[in-house]
Amino acid sequence: MPAPIRLRELIRTIRTARTQAEEREMIQKECAAIRSSFREEDNTYRCRNVAKLLYMHMLGYPAHFGQLECLKLIASQKFTDKRIGYLGAMLLLDERQDVHLLMTNCIKNDLNHSTQYVQGLALCTLGCMGSSEMCRDLAGEVEKLLKTSNSYLRKKAALCAVHVIRKVPELMEMFLPATKNLLSEKNHGVLHTSVVLLTEMCERSPDMLSHFRKLVPQLVRILKNLIMSGYSPEHDVSGISDPFLQVRILRLLRILGRSDDDSSEAMNDILAQVATNTETSKNVGNAILYETVLTIMDIKSESGLRVLAINILGRFLLNNDKNIRYVALTSLLKTVQTDHNAVQRHRSTIVDCLKDLDVSIKRRAMELSFALVNGNNIRGMMKELLYFLDSCDPEFKADCASGVFLAAEKYAPSKRWHIDTIMRVLTTAGSYVRDDSVPNLIQLITNSVEMHTYTVQRLYKALLDDISQQPLVQVSSWCIGEYGDLLVSGQCEEEEPIQVTEDEVLDVLEGLLLSNLSTPVTRGYSLTAIMKLSTRLSSVNRIKKVVSVYGCSIDVELQQRAVEYNALFKKYDHMRPALLERMPIMEKTASNGPTEIVQTNGETELSVPDMKHPPLVTQPANQANDLLDLLGGNDVVTVIPTTLPTKPASAGGELLDLLGDLSLSGGPAPVSSVPVSQPSFLLDGLSSQPLFNDITAAIPPMTAYNKNGLKIEFTFERANPNPNIAVITIHATNTTEAEMTEFVFQAAVPKTFQLQLLSPSSNVVPALNQGSITQIIRVLNPQKQQLRMRVKLTYTHKGVPVQDLAEVNNFPPQSWQ
Amino acid sequence: MIKAILIFNNHGKPRLIRFYEYFAEDLQQQIIRETFHLVSKRDDNVCNFLEGGSLIGGSDYKLIYRHYATLYFVFCVDSSESELGILDLIQVFVETLDKCFENVCELDLIFHMDKVHCILQEVVMGGMVLETNMNEIVGQVELQNRMEKSEGGFSAAPARAVSAVKNMNLPEMPRNINIGDINIKVPSLSPF
């Protein structure tokens, strides 16, 4: 068998290969040769073969068959063999292979070898890939070597100990005595690795941390010596004495000083000294300064020192070196939470970094800018950020857009600004915004009632320009559907009104349906919008045609919608207006239970009320206000009762009572003080079906009023799911011979309660108990106080209008407890 | 902690690979390719820090690299290492290589991969910085090389090819010792 070729021969041969296939062929041939050589158990050439194998492994070819050979090399007596063997073990083996345990004995012997380099090799291997079993077995040896006077071995043993601690944390105690005089070492290498060991121990165990706090004076002394000592050629790097050690010590000081006042105080001087004396012209100086700044920010330093640190970071930001700027931005990001004001001073520099060419710097600057936005600088910052959004890479756009939304939500100075900003984002980076921004935006628009016209106008204009950005299109079509009547009315307070005809609006929406750019979701939005416009615009026939066309659409969702809307036109036309009513103000965290009752801000709707809907009289409001006066002013919540809906269909079905709820709270009502809480009452409506049934046995009924032949009885029901709501049904009966017409029941409750009156069944109380009027009252009683009520009754009896006030105090305890 | 040290050339060919955490072989090669892809895109005047690729670890890891002539030196580190410090460390490592190989170039790294590993072992051990003093490192490496040479190196086999060698710190040896009319040609010791 000819001698296996030497490593450099192999390398030379492989380099001559011109294609990947050629290289693979050469390597396979060589592997075969190596394998047969291994089988011959030849000691002389094993070293060479393994070296070649390692080379091939680096190029990416499988080399696992050499693992055992590495072990044999380690067991050999020659230093050369051991060297390659240990290298091979580190590169090819790891704790997942069972083979590695065979090394343990070899390493143990080598740790006690006479030659320090062999010991060094063993320590190195153990420190790189020692498994927990190996570490457990050999920890004692490592600990012994930690105490040796040989600095070469000591430093390696220190790092090996770190690895052992990482693998087997329980062994940390074992190394404690050896650490006693580690810091009194003169050799910088040993010092360096000792500090690493101490750092690791302090990070892992709070007990160790408190134990090592007493080392702070010693560390400070060492650091001082490093700075003050003159030029020492041995450790000099670009003019600074052992910067690596300085940085390590600073890091350890940071860990020791964190949340400990005494240690922090002991460090203040030296930190100030380092911060002011270090030369910043080279990277090494900046590295030390950077570490110092991080330490100052982390420990309990005095405020003067903190200001110094932030100023250093500010100086870094102006440095030409990109690395320094990057590092400064990263640390400012960390400190912006705690020292917000100090960082604000550098805001303009940070914003300039947004224009940097370097991707990493831009990302950092963007994150930092968002962290710095506050109520004062929102306008300026937003301008810069929007400009950035226009010109940045796609990978940033999504994050930037979300950041802009969040910031705008928190600090928007006015609703109009908010809407403008969001529109700007949608038009520039529309396709990158997150999915949940569409409902959030819709909710925001709904809530800013006075901006409806302005918003829908702007959205319409944006839609005319560009229909490719789906979130924008979705929001626009929803708004046009909701506020289409505002759009064609041609009035706008905020900006120049545009003249749009109904046909143009419908053209745009139909265009969305037909366009290839629209996703199915968008199409659904536009179809619903077109449908909603059937109650707001007058081109009902056109809408009917559009809707019926899509009844055969391939898209199932679209088809279903179209078919249902068609049915609405044909069979349920009476329900259409109510169903397609204006959306109420949405509670942001709408959930199943009654959330807080939301008060609108006293903004009145400017729009023309929908024709089909009965105009809500303002009369009862005045009367309710009179009630207020009577009750002595401010501690009563007014209640506006519903009027009788004129539609005959309202007489039947719980469904329409639900819709009656809708008409109460949303819509063109003057809603200055009506408590609105849509989800709760809607769902309560759904769940409280037994409303029209008789009383539960739990709460007994009571007579609230009985005078002049008019008797009003209250029956109670607990509303599910919220036990704080009591549902009262009033039954008004008439014992006289003449009926009572135009009967209106009003009620007022103390401030801690909230009350809602639903529509009565009719406004005529038939004579002689032939029938009754029923009406439902809902009372929210969160504080479980005693229920009291003032009622006012008006009716016409025998041609004479009658008015009466009464107080109802005899509520049974169960109704409000 | 340093997770990996990669040295590759401008075309992505690996010249030295050292992982301080376990990765399967094919994953290692994938990491090398991905890192090369990320690093080669970078302009020369941008900063030397990159957020790590998705393969080599989560959000905590950064790639810190330096470009020397035809080689990229990439250190993949986590947040416990100072970024600027690692930049200096790369510089120290390269200067050490320079001292050991006398004006080191890519070919030196190609043909003496194991030597480079040994030098690296003196600088970084188990993912942690061991020694940063250049002279110290060079001195120790030299001593170990001398031990190896005394054993005859890899080619302790009978066929001892004589090839050029660089004498590191040995005193200048005369190629020919002329004693009278006996010419003894001093053989140059081969590496392996």
Side-chain angles (χ1 to χ4, degrees):
Chain A
M1 165 97 214
I5 62 174
R6 298 163 65 219
L7 175 61
R8 45 177 40 197
E9 289 304 318
L10 174 68
I11 298 177
R12 230 176 257 139
T13 325
I14 292 178
R15 276 168 68 76
T16 60
R18 270 176 299 228
T19 66
Q20 186 77 352
E22 239 183 278
E23 183 183 289
R24 215 176 311 139
E25 207 184 294
M26 289 178 193
I27 290 194
Q28 270 171 358
K29 213 168 68 173
E30 187 54 41
C31 275
I34 293 178
R35 255 191 268 241
S36 43
S37 178
F38 282 160
R39 250 171 298 171
E40 288 177 15
E41 299 279 338
D42 189 340
N43 289 341
T44 36
Y45 292 119
R46 190 177 290 132
C47 188
R48 200 191 279 186
N49 285 329
V50 171
K52 286 187 284 187
L53 205 57
L54 291 179
Y55 182 77
M56 294 190 285
H57 175 252
M58 180 182 81
L59 291 179
Y61 298 93
H64 43 270
F65 54 90
Q67 284 166 6
L68 264 177
E69 303 300 316
C70 294
L71 295 180
K72 293 183 197 160
L73 280 175
I74 292 173
S76 146
Q77 288 310 310
K78 286 167 58 176
F79 178 69
T80 322
D81 284 352
K82 281 189 193 284
R83 213 181 193 191
I84 292 289
Y86 276 123
L87 182 62
M90 281 191 271
L91 291 178
L92 298 177
L93 285 173
D94 73 281
E95 54 189 19
R96 282 172 186 70
Q97 275 100 20
D98 301 324
V99 172
H100 81 280
L101 283 170
L102 297 172
M103 274 200 299
T104 317
N105 214 21
C106 283
I107 296 187
K108 189 169 192 157
N109 292 334
D110 283 337
L111 282 175
N112 295 318
H113 205 270
S114 45
T115 319
Q116 65 171 1
Y117 295 111
V118 175
Q119 287 174 299
L121 279 177
L123 279 171
C124 188
T125 311
L126 182 60
C128 283
M129 44 80 63
S131 64
S132 18
E133 294 92 11
M134 285 170 74
C135 290
R136 245 184 268 266
D137 288 336
L138 299 169
E141 307 290 328
V142 175
E143 200 253 342
K144 226 171 25 177
L145 284 172
L146 198 50
K147 296 195 262 209
T148 175
S149 52
N150 182 336
S151 52
Y152 176 75
L153 289 177
R154 214 166 176 201
K155 69 185 183 194
K156 294 208 172 188
L159 284 190
C160 195
V162 173
H163 180 87
V164 168
I165 292 176
R166 282 194 186 148
K167 284 283 179 192
V168 191
E170 300 91 50
L171 292 175
M172 209 185 328
E173 310 289 323
M174 193 163 142
F175 293 105
L176 194 49
T179 61
K180 255 198 225 343
N181 43 11
L182 272 180
L183 284 184
S184 37
E185 185 54 61
K186 286 275 182 292
N187 181 308
H188 279 213
V190 180
L191 264 181
H192 185 108
T193 52
S194 316
V195 173
V196 174
L197 176 60
L198 292 172
T199 311
E200 183 72 22
M201 289 168 106
C202 291
E203 275 176 347
R204 289 203 168 244
S205 149
D207 296 328
M208 291 286 179
L209 183 58
S210 23
H211 172 82
F212 283 125
R213 282 229 169 89
K214 61 180 197 281
L215 290 176
V216 170
Q218 210 173 354
L219 287 167
V220 169
R221 234 191 347 257
I222 298 175
L223 196 51
K224 204 171 199 144
N225 284 338
L226 280 174
I227 310 174
M228 304 307 265
S229 69
Y231 175 73
S232 140
E234 208 175 274
H235 304 121
D236 183 80
V237 179
S238 307
I240 297 190
S241 185
D242 207 344
F244 296 98
L245 183 58
Q246 289 191 33
V247 165
R248 282 275 166 222
I249 293 182
L250 283 166
R251 197 174 273 260
L252 181 56
L253 284 176
R254 187 187 332 164
I255 297 176
L256 291 175
R258 209 179 270 163
S259 53
D260 184 64
D261 292 325
D262 296 328
S263 315
S264 306
E265 218 182 288
M267 294 177 213
N268 273 330
D269 287 337
I270 189 69
L271 288 173
Q273 211 173 357
V274 173
T276 42
N277 284 352
T278 313
E279 218 188 272
T280 59
S281 52
K282 293 270 185 64
N283 188 51
V284 275
N286 288 323
I288 297 177
L289 270 182
Y290 174 52
E291 203 66 34
T292 314
V293 165
L294 288 179
T295 305
I296 293 176
M297 301 315 292
D298 237 2
I299 65 174
K300 289 188 182 295
S301 48
E302 51 185 25
S303 58
L305 209 48
R306 295 182 93 89
V307 172
L308 178 62
I310 302 233
N311 286 345
I312 294 178
L313 285 178
R315 265 210 319 270
F316 275 0
L317 277 178
L318 300 166
N319 197 313
N320 282 333
D321 189 345
K322 302 275 168 121
N323 297 326
I324 311 275
R325 289 228 289 272
Y326 175 88
V327 146
L329 285 172
T330 313
S331 21
L332 280 174
L333 198 54
K334 281 186 227 160
T335 62
V336 76
Q337 311 299 334
T338 44
D339 290 86
H340 193 94
N341 294 332
V343 183
Q344 282 282 0
R345 249 178 271 141
H346 302 284
R347 199 182 69 235
S348 45
T349 328
I350 294 171
V351 169
D352 280 336
C353 287
L354 280 173
K355 309 194 181 90
D356 201 298
L357 293 166
D358 185 339
V359 161
S360 314
I361 290 187
K362 270 204 277 214
R363 177 169 288 281
R364 285 276 179 271
M366 181 181 84
E367 287 168 8
L368 195 50
S369 305
F370 280 123
L372 283 178
V373 168
N374 67 16
N376 294 333
N377 56 30
I378 177 81
R379 284 190 194 260
M381 289 292 274
M382 201 49 84
K383 228 182 351 189
E384 294 287 339
L385 287 166
L386 286 172
Y387 182 68
F388 174 67
L389 184 64
D390 284 339
S391 52
C392 69
D393 302 324
E395 64 206 38
F396 287 123
K397 288 207 190 212
D399 292 326
C400 192
S402 321
V404 166
F405 283 152
L406 272 170
E409 206 173 298
K410 270 200 273 191
Y411 300 112
S414 73
K415 287 233 154 97
R416 170 167 176 173
W417 182 92
H418 196 170
I419 291 185
D420 280 341
T421 309
I422 296 191
M423 284 217 47
R424 174 91 186 268
V425 173
L426 283 180
T427 43
T428 51
S431 6
Y432 298 99
V433 298
R434 303 243 153 86
D435 292 332
D436 61 349
S437 58
V438 171
N440 282 343
L441 182 53
I442 288 179
Q443 192 245 327
L444 172 70
I445 292 177
T446 330
N447 285 345
S448 36
V449 176
E450 78 278 11
M451 304 291 306
H452 283 164
T453 325
Y454 170 70
T455 313
V456 72
Q457 214 172 274
R458 282 206 64 185
L459 285 171
Y460 177 76
K461 280 196 270 195
L463 210 52
L464 287 176
D465 284 330
D466 172 21
I467 59 170
S468 64
Q469 311 215 53
Q470 297 306 301
L472 177 64
V473 172
Q474 287 168 8
V475 175
S476 306
S477 44
W478 189 91
C479 282
I480 295 177
E482 268 301 295
Y483 310 119
D485 48 332
L486 299 178
L487 188 56
V488 299
S489 69
Q491 301 166 349
C492 178
E493 287 186 349
E494 301 277 343
E495 66 170 19
E496 202 52 42
I498 57 175
Q499 303 303 326
V500 184
T501 65
E502 295 182 2
D503 277 325
E504 284 172 350
V505 173
L506 287 172
D507 281 338
V508 167
L509 286 176
E510 275 185 62
L512 287 177
L513 276 173
L514 295 167
S515 161
N516 283 336
L517 296 166
S518 304
T519 62
V521 174
T522 312
R523 289 210 177 90
Y525 268 94
S526 26
L527 189 61
T528 309
I530 293 180
M531 188 59 196
K532 279 200 237 178
L533 286 176
S534 72
T535 49
R536 291 162 177 57
L537 304 180
S538 54
S539 344
V540 181
N541 286 329
R542 179 171 174 183
I543 294 175
K544 263 196 213 173
K545 238 188 329 186
V546 172
V547 166
S548 59
V549 164
Y550 280 90
C552 334
S553 158
I554 289 184
D555 181 346
V556 177
E557 170 73 25
L558 222 48
Q559 195 190 89
Q560 180 179 358
R561 289 190 189 208
V563 165
E564 288 178 1
Y565 294 154
N566 244 339
L568 205 54
F569 272 121
K570 298 210 169 59
K571 290 199 276 183
Y572 296 103
D573 203 42
H574 51 277
M575 285 169 64
R576 192 162 50 88
L579 267 177
L580 299 176
E581 240 304 300
R582 185 85 85 210
M583 281 289 213
I585 314 278
M586 290 183 231
E587 179 69 35
K588 180 136 194 180
T589 52
S591 51
N592 261 347
T595 48
E596 295 145 36
I597 312 251
V598 170
Q599 299 264 358
T600 63
N601 294 338
E603 295 151 355
T604 50
E605 282 259 304
L606 297 170
S607 55
V608 173
D610 188 31
M611 297 100 57
K612 297 256 177 77
H613 190 74
L616 203 59
V617 290
T618 52
Q619 285 272 337
N622 294 336
Q623 289 166 349
N625 287 333
D626 296 339
L627 261 180
L628 256 185
D629 295 338
L630 286 170
L631 290 167
N634 301 330
D635 56 13
V636 172
V637 168
T638 56
V639 166
I640 298 178
T642 53
T643 56
L644 195 60
T646 51
K647 296 170 297 215
S650 65
E654 279 78 37
L655 181 63
L656 286 173
D657 274 320
L658 283 180
L659 301 173
D661 287 355
L662 266 180
S663 64
L664 162 71
S665 43
V671 288
S672 45
S673 51
V674 169
V676 165
S677 151
Q678 276 5 83
S680 59
F681 285 97
L682 273 177
L683 290 169
D684 282 350
L686 269 177
S687 59
S688 53
Q689 294 295 341
L691 261 181
F692 296 106
N693 301 341
D694 283 327
I695 324 116
T696 60
I699 309 170
M702 57 174 267
T703 308
Y705 177 88
N706 194 349
K707 221 159 92 167
N708 297 338
L710 177 62
K711 178 168 166 205
I712 298 190
E713 256 193 20
F714 283 2
T715 55
F716 298 94
E717 168 79 23
R718 270 277 164 240
N720 295 320
N722 187 342
N724 284 341
I725 294 190
V727 180
I728 305 172
T729 312
I730 66 161
H731 302 268
T733 48
N734 177 3
T735 52
T736 66
E737 306 117 6
E739 61 181 13
M740 298 168 176
T741 54
E742 290 162 35
F743 179 84
V744 177
F745 175 90
Q746 286 167 280
V749 286
K751 193 176 182 190
T752 50
F753 299 83
Q754 271 156 348
L755 187 143
Q756 186 190 28
L757 278 179
L758 304 187
S759 36
S761 55
S762 78
N763 61 352
V764 173
V765 190
L768 299 171
N769 290 337
Q770 282 166 8
S772 67
I773 295 181
T774 51
Q775 193 168 8
I776 302 164
I777 310 172
R778 280 209 205 96
V779 181
L780 176 67
N781 183 4
Q783 297 179 11
K784 301 227 185 274
Q785 294 187 354
Q786 181 180 18
L787 189 53
R788 296 183 294 128
M789 203 187 275
R790 284 264 168 110
V791 299
K792 184 169 178 187
L793 309 158
T794 49
Y795 56 92
T796 306
H797 188 227
K798 294 183 194 161
V800 177
V802 181
Q803 248 189 27
D804 201 8
L805 279 173
E807 196 165 314
V808 185
N809 284 329
N810 54 336
F811 284 95
Q814 301 96 310
S815 66
W816 45 268
Q817 267 168 355
Chain B
M1 185 183 143
I2 301 174
K3 207 172 186 194
I5 296 179
L6 310 170
I7 306 178
F8 41 76
N9 72 356
N10 288 345
H11 304 292
K13 278 229 105 155
R15 296 299 174 213
L16 183 104
I17 311 294
R18 190 66 209 258
F19 285 89
Y20 292 101
E21 217 184 67
Y22 173 72
F23 289 103
E25 256 92 43
D26 47 353
L27 196 55
Q28 286 184 3
Q29 291 298 315
Q30 216 176 336
I31 291 174
I32 297 168
R33 276 195 298 273
E34 193 191 57
T35 311
F36 169 67
H37 186 67
L38 284 170
V39 156
S40 57
K41 272 196 299 193
R42 304 276 281 177
D43 220 1
D44 270 337
N45 52 0
V46 298
C47 71
N48 298 77
F49 310 120
L50 263 177
E51 322 286 55
S54 53
L55 285 178
I56 200 158
S59 49
D60 200 17
Y61 290 91
K62 282 205 212 25
L63 292 172
I64 301 179
Y65 71 96
R66 277 195 114 137
H67 192 182
Y68 293 93
T70 56
L71 289 171
Y72 283 100
F73 284 72
V74 183
F75 279 46
C76 178
V77 302
D78 71 1
S79 55
S80 72
E81 298 288 337
S82 156
E83 293 102 336
L84 298 176
I86 294 288
L87 275 182
D88 287 325
L89 185 68
I90 300 181
Q91 182 69 20
V92 165
F93 179 48
V94 173
E95 281 183 29
T96 313
L97 285 177
D98 199 42
K99 279 219 174 100
C100 287
F101 285 105
E102 266 165 56
N103 296 326
V104 67
C105 64
E106 194 183 335
L107 277 178
D108 289 312
L109 294 189
I110 297 173
F111 281 99
H112 300 286
M113 181 198 96
D114 51 322
K115 273 264 212 67
V116 179
H117 264 292
C118 294
I119 297 173
L120 186 58
Q121 251 165 250
E122 294 298 325
V123 181
V124 175
M125 182 178 130
M128 291 166 283
V129 177
L130 174 62
E131 177 66 64
T132 53
N133 185 333
M134 256 189 297
N135 297 325
E136 182 78 21
I137 301 170
V138 173
Q140 282 154 14
V141 168
E142 265 177 54
L143 285 171
Q144 296 186 49
N145 287 344
R146 226 174 279 182
M147 269 190 72
E148 223 181 80
K149 251 177 247 167
S150 67
E151 288 174 357
F154 282 11
S155 60
R160 209 182 263 198
V162 176
S163 47
V165 76
K166 296 179 205 162
N167 279 336
M168 289 225 188
N169 274 340
L170 300 171
E172 183 56 31
M173 293 193 71
R175 295 278 155 186
N176 278 309
I177 302 175
N178 277 328
I179 306 173
D181 45 347
I182 309 172
N183 262 353
I184 306 172
K185 194 158 173 68
V186 177
S188 322
L189 292 172
S190 65
F192 28 86

